[in-house]
Amino acid sequence: MKPRLILVGNGMAGVRTLEELLKRAPNHYDITVFGEEPHGNYNRIQLSPVLAGEKQIADIITHAPSWYAAQGIRLVIGDAVVAIDREAKTVTSAKGVVAAYDVLLLATGSKPFVLPVPGKELPGVIAFRDIADVDTMLSASRTYSHAVVIGGGLLGLEAANGLAKRGMTVSVVHIMDSLMERQLDKPAAALLQRSLESRGLRFLLQAATAELLGTERVEAVRFKDGREVAADLVVMAAGIIPNAALAKASGLECERGIVVDDALRSSDPSIYAVGECAQHRKVCYGLVAPLWEQAAVCADHLAQISTAIYEGSVVSTKLKVTGIDLFSAGNFQGGEGSEELVFRDPKRGVYKKLVVREGRLDGAVLVGDTRDGGWYYELIQQKAHVGHWRNKLVFGRSFCEPQAEAA
């Protein structure tokens, strides 16, 4: 009899782990997957192009129910797991389904951070997290005019871009003094803001939301300094919180997320966790590349073929917001003991900053020209010495390694 593996969470990290496992040990487990949403697996990153009208929902489904059936996987969708009995080794779903496991894989993802302000329950106040949220935004864009997006990070800007493309007047509210402060330094953020303003977006920086106003539906956002801005739709994109409540209720060790070791194993040796819900060496990751790296290591251990360890990830971000290319990786803020190599071409909207520490590339920020982002990322990961390229590194790989570009 095969050991029973249950995956809780039908998102990108969990299903990627199953794909990796099936490559390594295709017949090792009897697998059941529980998913809260009534869909197969889809690429959550592609929700922004759906909102902007560049893709349809069907285009972003990566694993239809037929895929699970072809793999011999039992799929339970539209039904969230609400309890884990670690002693009996069972899970129970909201609809009363009880399933037994030998190994449990938690990939419960994250949930949006909703500002705890009066009016947050009003109709027209939503997050930007899943297909249902996109449907709500599309419906609002057909009926209403004024949208406010709370949060000037990656997700907020993508929501703002999509809503603007749907014809809404959009204001982006951000509590910090620059956009995307986790991915960009201030000169890069300022360049991005000017470019987005030229495309019609409005920004309210260092603006602290005090309450959401309205009776039947949200009508305005009021800030702590007394200002107000009209809003028929408010999108909360102010961050995410690892979804560790289920694990915590079962007694697993949790801090911000589910605490895992270098094998992605929780405090219970028969329970693993991957993705945004997992906390590894004090860090929770919300980008795709680290989740893929976690999936590969976890699959090795589930297949019992390796002692591979996950050591954490060097985070990079590459994105396109309304036609503006951005890239950042590593420790791009610099600081004491580092050297900054900077290139600016304001007319073309190009900005590059490379941070070198002890002769190695430690971080990079690119705006407007991101062709060399992948190469810089490799150099950061490899901890390669770049001192001999110091005077031309900012101009890219073709200047430093012309033979590699020619190949």
Side-chain angles (χ1 to χ4, degrees):
M1 185 176 172
K2 294 179 185 177
R4 297 158 298 184
L5 170 64
I6 291 179
L7 167 61
V8 178
N10 191 32
M12 295 171 68
V15 174
R16 178 61 172 242
T17 307
L18 288 189
E19 284 186 312
E20 296 285 347
L21 174 61
L22 292 169
K23 289 179 194 172
R24 292 156 171 76
N27 299 306
H28 187 73
Y29 288 100
D30 178 2
I31 302 173
T32 300
V33 176
F34 284 86
E36 184 173 5
E37 293 184 70
H39 316 281
N41 180 248
Y42 63 91
N43 186 342
R44 201 178 295 277
I45 297 166
Q46 295 297 314
L47 287 172
S48 297
V50 172
L51 178 62
E54 297 158 6
K55 289 183 184 288
Q56 302 297 317
I57 292 296
D59 299 329
I60 71 170
I61 300 291
T62 55
H63 300 76
S66 58
W67 178 84
Y68 300 83
Q71 306 298 325
I73 296 171
R74 178 192 181 200
L75 176 62
V76 182
I77 54 176
D79 193 11
V81 169
V82 295
I84 301 168
D85 185 331
R86 288 168 50 204
E87 192 171 330
K89 284 198 167 184
T90 62
V91 299
T92 303
S93 78
K95 294 180 180 177
V97 177
V98 178
Y101 67 85
D102 297 295
V103 180
L104 183 61
L105 175 59
L106 300 179
T108 48
S110 62
K111 55 186 179 181
F113 172 69
V114 176
L115 293 180
V117 294
K120 68 179 187 297
E121 299 90 0
L122 283 169
V125 179
I126 63 165
F128 181 20
R129 189 65 190 152
D130 55 31
I131 288 174
D133 294 330
V134 172
D135 287 341
T136 300
M137 284 191 264
L138 292 178
S139 176
S141 72
R142 291 189 285 267
T143 308
Y144 300 102
S145 302
H146 299 285
V148 171
V149 177
I150 298 178
L154 169 57
L155 196 63
L157 295 182
E158 290 187 333
N161 172 44
L163 292 168
K165 283 195 167 184
R166 294 290 180 173
M168 299 192 81
T169 300
V170 184
S171 300
V172 177
V173 173
H174 196 43
I175 197 164
M176 306 299 285
D177 62 357
S178 65
L179 300 175
M180 289 185 63
E181 70 281 354
R182 292 184 181 178
Q183 289 88 17
L184 301 176
D185 65 357
K186 289 191 176 181
L191 182 60
L192 172 64
Q193 182 177 336
R194 285 196 298 273
S195 298
L196 294 176
E197 285 171 340
S198 72
R199 288 159 169 79
L201 293 181
R202 178 189 180 199
F203 293 92
L204 301 167
L205 301 183
Q206 293 180 287
T209 302
E211 62 180 314
L212 307 179
L213 307 175
T215 50
E216 300 298 312
R217 182 183 177 90
V218 67
E219 297 170 10
V221 178
R222 178 178 290 162
F223 304 109
K224 289 185 178 177
D225 62 8
R227 287 180 296 164
E228 291 183 12
V229 60
D232 307 304
L233 175 71
V234 173
V235 180
M236 297 269 192
I240 56 174
I241 302 169
N243 198 358
L246 177 67
K248 192 170 186 178
S250 74
L252 292 177
E253 182 185 357
C254 296
E255 293 174 358
R256 187 162 180 262
I258 304 165
V259 175
V260 295
D261 63 16
D262 292 347
L264 285 308
R265 189 185 293 111
S266 75
S267 55
D268 181 327
S270 62
I271 302 178
Y272 293 76
V274 293
E276 293 173 326
C277 66
Q279 177 181 314
H280 173 264
R281 299 187 187 181
K282 301 292 183 184
V283 179
C284 298
Y285 295 95
L287 297 170
V288 170
L291 309 192
W292 282 186
E293 292 167 9
Q294 290 180 3
V297 172
C298 186
D300 280 347
H301 287 273
L302 291 173
Q304 300 174 335
I305 60 170
S306 171
T307 56
I309 64 169
Y310 175 65
E311 297 183 89
S313 298
V314 176
V315 174
S316 72
T317 304
K318 186 171 185 179
L319 62 143
K320 199 179 191 84
V321 180
T322 57
I324 304 157
D325 290 303
L326 306 174
F327 173 86
S328 68
N331 177 21
F332 58 82
Q333 295 290 2
E336 190 174 345
S338 69
E339 179 184 16
E340 297 179 5
L341 310 177
V342 177
F343 173 86
R344 285 186 174 91
D345 186 344
K347 192 170 183 180
R348 288 172 53 223
V350 172
Y351 170 81
K352 302 180 183 181
K353 183 176 86 171
L354 306 179
V355 176
V356 177
R357 189 182 301 274
E358 297 178 353
R360 294 180 172 88
L361 186 61
D362 199 33
V365 177
L366 311 175
V367 178
D369 179 359
T370 61
R371 288 173 294 178
D372 289 300
W375 183 59
Y376 290 139
Y377 181 55
E378 287 176 15
L379 294 176
I380 293 169
Q381 282 191 308
Q382 294 165 1
K383 297 182 169 56
H385 277 278
V386 296
H388 52 299
W389 289 330
R390 189 227 173 272
N391 293 330
K392 52 189 178 182
L393 188 63
V394 78
F395 298 110
R397 188 173 192 174
S398 62
F399 282 82
C400 301
E401 293 183 347
Q403 71 286 356
E405 286 290 305

